[in-house]
Every structure is written in structure tokens, then in C-alpha cells.
Amino acid sequence: MSFDAVIDVKNVSKRFGGLVAVDDCSLRVERGSITGLIGPNGAGKSTLFNLVAGNIVPDSGQILFNGADVTGLSPHRLFGRGMLRTFQIAHEFSNMTALENLMMVPADQPGESLLTTWLKPGAVRAADAQVRRRALDVIDFLKLGHVKDELAGNLSGGQKKLLELGRTMMVDAKAVLLDEVAAGVNKTLLNDLAANIERMNTELGYTFFVIEHDMDLIGRLCDPVIVMAQGRVIAEGPMSEIRQNPEIVEAYFGSPVTVEATS
């Protein structure tokens, strides 16, 4: 099978003063995959994620997205190209309903222009109706219909994570970066969240790049799993192989039998 990288990180480095957070790191995220990124605290995972997402600029190296050089592009420009990110702490509009949160996502809506609102009210209403239909479809897909009119600030942690996932479905996402999706989510909603990620991957063709400390979730969702340590990739493969690698298990998970989550 040919390798088609949506995200291609090439020899990227990032320093913060005397600290080398990412050290000549290279990795690729294959189109249509759910790729996991794990490793001990201080391995450079979060910094690498921020580099890919455009939150910080690398000191050296190159980041490609769909074959185009996007090194140093800002998050909103990456958003326009189809790279979206969710956060460990959900970033909802708390005083708007769940449905309204989804309707806010698509960029360049006609209603954003005061002139268009005055001169073409029919076009604005038609566009709003189309966005609303899409939002309702997303609500239905995620089984959030019972909270669609609830203020987003009143939702549970798991429901907010589902809503963030839904926001990625409101645009033509080419890749979704999931940052600690399990944080603050109870086991029941986490199972729903994982199932929806799987459905988005298999049914809708979404590509996911996942940074996560919950090894059970990584094992369920991700193939391949990339292991980082000291700013570099040290291993890559299916979780079954990662679990059986004595060096990785002993050095980064502290047990030869069970892979424990690291902080």
C-alpha cells in the first residue's frame, strides 16, 4: 500500500532558551489513519502538536500538509486549508446553545457582512438555513439532540468534547488534531466519543492525529502509534508491538506487563 501523508514533519527542531523541546524530529500521518502520539512527560509531544497546529514556529525543519509547505502558517490559515484542532479543555461559546456553537464554525458566512445583510437578506437567510441543516445533521450524527438547545456552558465535560468534535464536522476537515480528548470525560461518554471518532474515520474518511495519555483509548483507536522521547521519535507501529517492546515499556511506562498512562 502506498503511503499518502496528510501531515509530513521533516527534521523539525524547536528550542526554548537552552531547552531542546523537539530535536530534529520527523514523522508522517497517513491519510485516512488514526495516528497516536505517546511518550513520557517532557518528551516533546505537546510542543510538536503546537508546531503542527501553527501555534508556534519551528526553529528549523519543514511541515507539509497535503504536500504543501505550511511551516509557520498561523492556525486560522491552517483552518482554511482543512487542519482543525480540539483542545484538552474544550473551547465552547458558553452563552450560546450547542446548535449555535456549531453554526458559528463555517467561515465567510453572508450574514457576517452588514452590507450583504441589508442588500441580500434572502441570500443570508438561505445560507443560514443551509448551515443550520448541516449543524442538525452533525447533532444527529453525534446523538446530541437532547442538548442541542442547551447553553454550551451547561454541558458536561464529555458533551463539550463531543461538541468540539462536531465543530470539526462543520467544515471540510482534511485532518483533525485531537489533544487529550479523554481528559475530564467519564467512561460512558468516553466510549461514545471513541465510537464517534471511529465512525468519522471509517464512514466519513477523517484523518486523526491524537495525543493522549489514556493508553486504553490509544490502543482502541490508533494504528500506528508513534512514541516520542527527548524530542525525537523512538518507535512506531501498532499498539500490540509497542506494548511488547521491553525497552519502551520499561523506560516509559514502568512495567513489563501493563502499559500505564504517563503524565
Side-chain angles (χ1 to χ4, degrees), residues 210-229:
V210 184
I211 183 173
E212 182 56 63
H213 286 113
D214 187 320
M215 294 299 103
D216 290 334
L217 184 63
I218 286 285
R220 171 178 173 172
L221 291 177
C222 301
D223 187 10
V225 177
I226 298 170
V227 185
M228 280 189 73

Side-chain angles (χ1 to χ4, degrees), residues 31-256:
R31 190 178 310 279
S33 73
I34 305 179
T35 298
L37 182 64
I38 66 174
N41 189 39
K45 307 182 302 296
S46 294
T47 300
L48 180 68
F49 235 54
N50 283 324
L51 290 165
V52 172
N55 298 104
I56 54 179
V57 179
D59 297 326
S60 59
Q62 188 179 39
I63 300 170
L64 303 181
F65 182 53
N66 279 322
D69 189 347
V70 296
T71 311
L73 284 191
S74 63
H76 81 271
R77 292 181 66 186
L78 290 171
F79 176 90
R81 292 179 179 229
M83 184 190 295
L84 282 72
R85 178 184 183 175
T86 69
F87 292 87
Q88 182 175 353
I89 300 174
H91 290 184
E92 77 283 351
F93 297 106
S94 58
N95 292 321
M96 302 178 73
T97 68
L99 181 63
E100 289 168 342
N101 265 260
L102 295 183
M103 293 181 66
M104 284 287 291
V105 176
D108 302 322
Q109 298 185 47
E112 295 174 11
S113 166
L114 187 59
L115 188 61
T116 303
T117 303
W118 285 344
L119 299 180
K120 299 180 179 179
V124 171
R125 286 194 298 271
D128 284 349
Q130 183 177 10
V131 170
R132 181 182 175 84
R133 285 194 297 271
R134 182 161 187 166
L136 287 170
D137 286 343
V138 170
I139 289 279
D140 183 59
F141 184 91
L142 297 175
K143 298 181 174 62
L144 286 174
H146 59 297
V147 296
K148 70 180 176 68
D149 296 318
E150 183 66 59
L151 292 180
N154 295 337
L155 301 182
S156 70
Q159 289 168 338
K160 289 178 181 180
K161 291 292 181 72
L162 281 169
L163 186 62
E164 279 226 329
L165 200 60
R167 288 165 69 177
T168 72
M169 298 176 65
M170 290 299 297
V171 294
D172 185 21
K174 305 294 190 302
V176 179
L177 310 185
L178 298 180
D179 189 353
E180 299 286 1
V181 70
V185 181
N186 67 48
K187 287 189 178 296
T188 300
L189 276 177
L190 184 57
N191 185 63
D192 292 342
L193 194 60
N196 279 300
I197 292 169
E198 289 169 333
R199 289 178 63 208
M200 289 171 67
N201 176 250
T202 57
E203 297 176 21
L204 305 178
Y206 277 64
T207 299
F208 290 97
F209 190 26
V210 184
I211 183 173
E212 182 56 63
H213 286 113
D214 187 320
M215 294 299 103
D216 290 334
L217 184 63
I218 286 285
R220 171 178 173 172
L221 291 177
C222 301
D223 187 10
V225 177
I226 298 170
V227 185
M228 280 189 73
Q230 299 180 339
R232 291 183 174 226
V233 172
I234 63 167
E236 180 177 348
M239 194 59 175
S240 58
E241 291 182 8
I242 299 298
R243 287 181 186 272
Q244 298 304 316
N245 186 316
E247 264 186 71
I248 294 172
V249 172
E250 184 176 354
Y252 303 105
F253 304 111
S255 168

